[in-house]
Amino acid sequence: MVHRSDRRYCTDSHRVLAAQARKRERDAAPAAEQQARVPSELTSRPRWVRHKDKVPLRTDGRFASVTDPSSWSDYSAAAASRTGDGVGFALTAGDGIVVVDLDHAVEGGRVLPWAQAVVDQLPPTYMERGRSGTGLHLWFRGAVPHGRRIRRGELAIEVYSDRRYMIVGDRVPGTPLSLAELPDAAGLIASL
């Protein structure tokens, strides 16, 4: 057997292990970057799922349920998984988190006037673009007794705090990395 003096690894299995370690490092960097763009109020809770075509998935690819906590993961596991297209957060009443979802609120990279009027009426909070790039998600601390949909003309608002999951997109630059209080979410949304 001829041994090469310039060989990096003593065996093929060590070469494979080194390649796997490099892949883990490459995969961890984007997950850490995204975690830095998502409030710790969310990443600290084990409410994370993956998604594919708007269907919630477990990190292993099986279907997840918005009412079954055993199908959710912590943020690190969900972000590290390559299942589906990205991560989502399962809303549950006990957490006191409300998401205001403004559909078709962005056009050509600009927030439409009706959506900007809604954003201006709400306290500054963590806000992200939806997966389509045309929606906005505003995240708050609070509760609503029932999910609600409001559709009037171009106005398209959905509000949820339980038995839903939200696909987590890209943070809107300049918005807080924390959730604002929305004590009377139901009343405020009804007034829009």
Side-chain angles (χ1 to χ4, degrees):
M1 174 183 262
V2 177
H3 293 281
R4 293 179 41 191
S5 63
D6 64 341
R7 189 171 175 173
R8 280 182 89 177
Y9 303 101
C10 58
T11 66
D12 284 340
S13 63
H14 284 146
R15 182 183 51 77
V16 169
L17 289 171
Q20 290 171 341
R22 287 191 303 273
K23 182 180 181 332
R24 278 193 302 275
E25 286 179 27
R26 281 193 312 271
D27 291 347
E33 285 177 26
Q34 176 155 7
Q35 184 168 0
R37 295 187 309 259
V38 178
S40 62
E41 293 168 86
L42 301 177
T43 60
S44 65
R45 300 169 195 244
R47 305 279 185 267
W48 293 89
V49 296
R50 298 291 297 179
H51 69 84
K52 177 78 175 168
D53 300 326
K54 294 192 175 186
V55 175
L57 302 171
R58 299 172 190 234
T59 57
D60 63 6
R62 293 182 296 153
F63 292 112
S65 168
V66 295
T67 59
D68 179 8
S70 72
S71 67
W72 307 336
S73 299
D74 62 29
Y75 180 82
S76 297
S81 173
R82 296 292 149 232
T83 298
D85 299 324
V87 296
F89 186 86
L91 297 167
T92 182
D95 278 349
I97 294 176
V98 174
V99 177
V100 176
D101 182 2
L102 306 178
D103 291 333
H104 311 293
V106 178
E107 192 173 278
R110 298 185 59 125
V111 177
L112 295 173
W114 73 264
Q116 189 62 56
V118 171
V119 170
D120 291 345
Q121 291 180 50
L122 299 170
T125 193
Y126 171 65
M127 181 170 44
E128 63 186 16
R129 293 235 175 153
R131 187 174 68 120
S132 68
T134 63
L136 294 173
H137 301 157
L138 291 85
W139 295 74
F140 297 95
R141 285 187 309 275
V144 291
H146 307 289
R148 177 145 188 195
R149 292 180 182 185
I150 302 168
R151 304 255 189 240
R152 284 190 303 254
E154 61 182 1
L155 182 84
I157 302 173
E158 297 174 9
V159 183
Y160 302 111
S161 67
D162 188 26
R163 292 180 279 165
R164 296 277 183 180
Y165 87 101
M166 296 301 296
I167 294 172
V168 176
D170 293 325
R171 177 177 170 214
V172 173
T175 61
L177 194 54
S178 60
L179 280 58
E181 286 287 336
L182 196 60
D184 182 24
L188 183 59
I189 298 308
S191 72
L192 296 175

